[in-house]
Amino acid sequence: MSASKHIETKLIHGGIDGDKVTGAVNVPIYQTSTYRQSGLGENTGWEYSRTGNPTRAALEALIAELEGGAAGFAFASGMAATSTVLSLFHQGDRIIISSNVYGGTFRVLDKVFNHLGLSYSIEDTTDLEALDTKVTPDVKAFFVESPANPLLTVTDLAGVAAIAKKHGILTIVDNTFMTPYLQRPLELGADIVVHSATKYLGGHSDLVAGLAVAKDKGIAEKLAYLQNATGAVLGPFDSFLLIRGIKTLGVRLDRHTENAERIAHYLEQHEAVKRVYYPGLPAAQGYEINKKQAKNGGAMISFELREGYNIKKFFKGLKLILLAESLGGVESLVCHPATMTHASIPKDIREKVGITDGLIRFSVGIEQVEDIIQDLNAAISAAKEV
Ligand SMILES: *Cc1c(COP(=O)(O)O)cnc(C)c1O
């Protein structure tokens, strides 16, 4: 363990560093489902790869160290991580989610767990005073994102965790947009962190994976049980790819966020742009809180074009920036939350929380920033109705 090292160094050497047997600098891909036992009850500690696999274990030790938790868990997707964490709760329990959570998180609660008797309610988690009054005896956890998807709404994570502690309930944070390089919720008082590692942690749009980290041993033991019991584990090859992605997270995010800051300022002064959402802009909601709890504003920007600009033509006009679901890859990606990532949220709820039909979500890549700006500019010009 390298507890005293800086996060940039932990990204490369954290968890299990290389292979002791051969000196290989990378943890090998243990592409195996089972392990030979030398006699009844005599094994090497590895028995079956759903329960444990050395490549996955290296990734799990790495994310635990990066987030500062007791143990980490790797899953086949971000939704598998979230679903496994939600399996900690029981019939009759209720979870409070923030109003801008990822569409899939809303969907699994609304369409799957709800039927099993785990209910949810949607609250504005940026209003701590109001949130405190919403904790009835059946509420067992807060599930929050900061900045939240897709309006980049900032929630005071330490504030939410303090309310949770007062009521004896859990705080779960989806840290996908920030990653432990920019924000560490467990240090702010949260109990569980979940990730779609498909995004920045993997970083190359080449894998689907999820991670969860528990701060305390007790919850970690329950998650280990659930991970093995429900079985949505990450395979050895994808575990290797994710470890590889995490090694460059620091340098990638430095460039991602440098580009995002430039582009947010550019969009803010653009005559065609009605509104920019980016927690790194001093005018943004939650700017001061984000500054306190995260290294910077991250690399996700949302914006709305003014009346007179056609959104379909805008997307058609992009040449470099790709129209696609997902985020956090080295390439710049845009999406239309109302019809893509948040389509599973009913229109009335969507509009109420500000996910309008004109909203564009932008995952700023690490290309040369002038090239990105030029592409944006050309697409905005093409979108202008005459
Ligand atoms: C993508 C995403 C998820 C879901 O992760 P998958 O890997 O797609 O299952 C959850 N939360 C956030 C914030 C995401 O962006």
Side-chain angles (χ1 to χ4, degrees):
M1 290 297 254
S2 47
S4 64
K5 294 206 174 65
H6 294 93
I7 185 94
E8 291 84 348
T9 306
K10 286 184 189 177
L11 290 170
I12 297 156
H13 298 290
I16 293 159
D17 195 13
D19 177 41
K20 279 205 181 65
V21 177
T22 61
V25 297
N26 292 304
V27 175
I29 303 168
Y30 287 88
Q31 196 70 41
T32 189
S33 60
T34 192
Y35 307 82
R36 184 178 182 180
Q37 310 196 2
S38 50
L40 282 181
E42 298 168 34
N43 61 54
T44 58
W46 305 101
E47 293 173 71
Y48 186 61
S49 279
R50 168 160 39 74
T51 319
N53 174 283
T55 317
R56 193 179 91 220
L59 168 64
E60 294 176 330
L62 174 59
I63 193 63
E65 187 173 343
L66 295 175
E67 289 285 9
F73 303 92
F75 298 92
S77 70
M79 284 320 302
T82 292
S83 299
T84 306
V85 167
L86 291 175
S87 305
L88 286 167
F89 300 95
H90 297 114
Q91 193 174 18
D93 292 350
R94 193 153 59 89
I95 313 278
I96 289 181
I97 60 175
S98 45
S99 38
N100 278 321
V101 290
Y102 176 72
T105 301
F106 168 80
R107 181 175 55 197
V108 80
L109 277 163
D110 189 53
K111 295 286 192 288
V112 182
F113 284 96
N114 209 13
H115 298 177
L116 303 173
L118 174 63
S119 62
Y120 70 91
S121 43
I122 301 173
E123 301 295 348
D124 176 4
T125 54
T126 65
D127 185 346
L128 295 180
E129 253 174 67
L131 186 65
D132 192 22
T133 67
K134 302 290 163 59
V135 186
T136 46
D138 58 334
V139 172
K140 294 292 164 9
F142 294 131
F143 190 110
V144 298
E145 286 175 39
S146 186
N149 200 2
L151 296 174
L152 293 319
T153 323
V154 173
T155 285
D156 181 339
L157 296 177
V160 167
I163 294 171
K165 287 219 160 63
K166 190 178 97 183
H167 293 280
I169 67 172
L170 298 179
T171 302
I172 304 161
V173 178
D174 181 335
N175 202 27
T176 299
F177 274 31
M178 286 315 224
T179 84
Y181 183 65
L182 301 181
Q183 174 173 281
R184 287 178 293 283
L186 302 184
E187 290 176 3
L188 300 166
D191 301 286
I192 301 172
V193 164
V194 294
H195 282 283
S196 170
T198 311
K199 317 294 169 52
Y200 289 104
L201 292 170
H204 298 77
S205 306
D206 57 5
L207 94 143
V208 172
L211 295 169
V213 181
K215 184 170 186 171
D216 298 329
K217 255 186 120 181
I219 295 173
E221 279 166 14
K222 287 184 191 166
L223 282 178
Y225 183 85
L226 288 169
Q227 182 193 36
N228 182 52
T230 60
V233 295
L234 191 66
F237 182 71
D238 283 350
S239 296
F240 163 82
L241 269 186
L242 190 45
I243 293 170
R244 188 182 201 270
I246 290 173
K247 285 182 198 289
T248 57
L249 181 70
V251 288
R252 281 188 286 111
L253 269 174
D254 285 348
R255 174 65 92 88
H256 276 295
T257 53
E258 191 186 308
N259 283 358
E261 280 164 21
R262 253 304 286 292
I263 290 165
H265 284 287
Y266 162 78
L267 289 171
E268 199 182 32
Q269 55 74 48
H270 200 295
E271 55 169 21
V273 176
K274 185 167 155 194
R275 191 147 180 200
V276 181
Y277 300 90
Y278 178 63
L281 287 174
Q285 175 276 341
Y287 171 77
E288 291 296 337
I289 292 165
N290 187 71
K291 213 165 126 179
K292 197 178 67 184
Q293 68 191 13
K295 189 175 178 190
N296 57 41
M300 295 299 299
I301 298 173
S302 287
F303 63 99
E304 260 180 282
L305 293 178
R306 283 190 196 285
E307 300 273 305
Y309 289 84
N310 182 311
I311 194 131
K312 278 197 171 149
K313 287 186 183 162
F314 169 79
F315 286 116
K316 275 273 183 221
L318 293 168
K319 293 212 163 57
L320 178 71
I321 303 165
L322 309 172
L323 172 62
E325 303 260 5
S326 200
L327 60 107
V330 290
E331 60 284 300
S332 288
L333 298 178
V334 283
C335 87
H336 185 227
T339 58
M340 296 168 72
T341 50
H342 291 66
S344 55
I345 302 176
K347 188 174 167 88
D348 54 328
I349 298 183
R350 234 175 34 223
E351 299 258 307
K352 213 176 97 191
V353 299
I355 306 169
T356 63
D357 288 345
L359 191 74
I360 297 161
R361 193 187 76 182
F362 187 11
S363 169
V364 179
I366 65 172
E367 300 94 340
Q368 214 288 334
V369 70
E370 296 301 336
D371 291 340
I372 303 173
I373 289 175
Q374 194 182 29
D375 198 47
L376 272 178
N377 216 11
I380 291 172
S381 301
K384 189 164 183 162
E385 314 256 39
V386 281

